Amino acid sequence: MAVRGFFEGSGGFAAGEQRRDFISVSDVIGVNLFFAGGPVRKGIFNVGTGQARTFNEVVKYLTHALGKGAVEYIPFPEGLREKYQSHTQADITALRTAGYADPFASLEDGIAKVARVWQNE
């Protein structure tokens, strides 16, 4: 099984070393329920873990959890390389200041959970 869709290197990042702030859907739901159940708070609240991780890390943990797999890097589609964000990371200071204190699931735990679901299908 090859994981396709990771772009070759760009923006000073090697292939698969581009970074994203991966967050589980369950954690996003938790933040929404926090705001829905409490007093009105005004502001812009980024939702993320506050930690950027590489696409290569995703493949590493997924292939480990599934016991198989590899990554195949693909070229950027025409015109995307200049627009692509090679690094994203949420600043969650406002979220924490608003009182949201729950921890977020780690990338490793989230991938392990998804892998268990896939293996049971």
Side-chain angles (χ1 to χ4, degrees):
M1 169 186 83
V3 178
R4 294 198 55 151
F6 290 158
F7 293 126
E8 57 194 12
S10 67
F13 291 83
E17 290 298 305
Q18 298 94 336
R19 296 176 173 270
R20 291 286 179 271
D21 187 342
F22 297 100
I23 186 166
S24 75
V25 172
S26 297
D27 286 335
V28 174
I29 291 168
V31 171
N32 280 293
L33 291 174
F34 167 78
F35 281 106
V40 173
R41 295 171 186 92
K42 295 180 182 181
I44 297 172
F45 304 95
N46 290 325
V47 178
T49 65
Q51 181 181 19
R53 305 290 294 271
T54 70
F55 289 108
N56 284 331
E57 288 178 277
V58 172
V59 172
K60 174 185 169 185
Y61 296 120
L62 185 58
T63 57
H64 176 74
L66 295 175
K68 60 183 177 179
V71 66
E72 182 179 330
Y73 302 105
I74 62 172
F76 274 86
E78 189 67 34
L80 181 59
R81 180 183 295 275
E82 301 77 30
K83 300 174 187 174
Y84 187 76
Q85 286 185 288
S86 293
H87 183 277
T88 64
Q89 181 174 317
D91 177 351
I92 58 172
T93 304
L95 180 65
R96 295 300 192 203
T97 301
Y100 190 80
D102 290 354
F104 296 110
S106 70
L107 177 66
E108 297 84 349
D109 289 345
I111 289 174
K113 184 176 181 180
V114 167
R116 284 192 300 274
V117 170
W118 286 349
Q119 290 172 330
N120 290 326
E121 289 183 348

